[in-house]
Amino acid sequence: MPKISSTKFGHLTDPELVQLIQQNQDYLGEVYKRCKTYSVQFMRKMTNGSKSDYELDDVFHDAILVLYEKIIAGNFELTASFQTYLNSVCRFQLLNKLGKEKGYSDYEEHLDKDEDEENPMSYKSTITDTLDEVEDPKKSQFTAIEKALDIMKLAGGHCYELLTLFWYHKKSMNELTQYFGYSNSDNTKNQKARCQKRLEKIAFNELNN
């Protein structure tokens, strides 16, 4: 059984945290602290050690963001513990990832297409590589993107650092590849695109809250 968190908010129950996260995303960090170790251990056993801790951290980061998106949607009901829920999301994402690595790319393309069609805040038209379209801080889109970046930072993982280095510090793909230790610049581009798409989803939710 997972140990009770010894962090500042360790006395809070999972349902209480759900309500608090709806009001203040800072509480998302508590879920991250409570659940990361056990989720990574769960995934390590599931993959028999075939995935690096870096890759597993990335999957957990995405699972945390999925949880946040569900919570702020307003109709989320936690029927199990955060740990059980996140382990389930991580398991699904790992199975999906392993399937894609075996060549099931048609499913990935179909999934991405459906998500973009359902989302009126288009990834391509709203969040550009330079943020030129939302430079004015007074614009609601800029505010939503800034808040989405803060949420990514709280959720842990590498997306926040990667995007801020690219957008605000103007780092090239080669520089990012060396900084993060990716195998090549194409892999870095794929990572950035995935992070950018996740950011767009969070920002879209913020605009509609």
Side-chain angles (χ1 to χ4, degrees), residues 15-205:
E16 288 173 337
L17 275 174
V18 169
Q19 295 180 355
L20 290 169
I21 291 169
Q22 289 175 336
Q23 303 167 16
N24 186 341
Q25 71 267 20
D26 289 352
Y27 286 96
L28 190 65
E30 171 64 17
V31 181
Y32 180 90
K33 293 173 185 176
R34 287 187 184 189
C35 301
K36 180 185 176 182
T37 298
Y38 291 96
S39 287
V40 170
Q41 289 176 355
F42 168 78
M43 289 187 286
R44 193 177 292 127
K45 290 180 180 178
M46 178 180 168
T47 58
N48 293 318
S50 63
K51 295 295 178 184
S52 68
D53 284 351
Y54 183 93
E55 291 175 294
L56 299 182
D57 285 350
D58 219 28
V59 173
F60 179 72
H61 170 253
D62 279 352
I64 284 284
L65 293 178
V66 167
L67 172 65
Y68 178 76
E69 290 166 6
K70 295 289 186 182
I71 290 175
I72 64 171
N75 56 356
F76 177 73
E77 182 179 354
L78 187 67
T79 58
S81 67
F82 277 134
Q83 189 71 67
T84 300
Y85 180 86
L86 288 170
N87 283 359
S88 177
V89 175
C90 287
R91 180 179 182 276
F92 174 81
Q93 291 186 340
L94 270 179
L95 290 174
N96 194 29
K97 180 179 178 66
L98 292 171
K100 290 173 184 176
E101 290 174 354
K102 291 179 181 178
Y104 300 132
S105 58
D106 289 344
Y107 172 75
E108 180 180 13
E109 292 174 0
H110 176 72
L111 180 62
D112 289 344
K113 181 179 179 182
D114 288 346
E115 288 177 346
D116 289 342
E117 287 177 350
E118 292 174 0
N119 194 338
M121 184 177 174
S122 170
Y123 160 70
K124 292 182 179 178
S125 64
T126 304
I127 300 182
T128 67
D129 279 346
T130 59
L131 293 183
D132 287 339
E133 296 177 13
V134 288
E135 281 186 347
D136 185 354
K138 295 180 181 179
K139 289 186 177 180
S140 59
Q141 289 182 357
F142 185 91
T143 302
I145 291 170
E146 289 285 277
K147 189 170 182 180
L149 280 170
D150 287 341
I151 292 166
M152 277 190 158
K153 184 177 181 180
L154 287 169
H158 307 94
C159 280
Y160 170 80
E161 190 173 14
L162 192 156
L163 292 177
T164 53
L165 284 173
F166 181 81
W167 281 331
Y168 299 113
H169 299 279
K170 309 300 181 184
K171 296 295 184 182
S172 68
M173 285 298 154
N174 286 335
E175 288 175 318
L176 291 172
T177 299
Q178 293 179 0
Y179 182 86
F180 288 101
Y182 293 132
S183 56
N184 53 61
S185 59
D186 285 339
N187 188 23
T188 305
K189 289 178 183 178
N190 290 335
Q191 290 289 338
K192 186 186 78 69
R194 185 183 60 78
C195 290
Q196 195 164 317
K197 194 164 187 177
R198 176 62 70 185
L199 178 76
E200 177 258 333
K201 290 180 181 179
I202 299 172
F204 173 71
N205 286 333

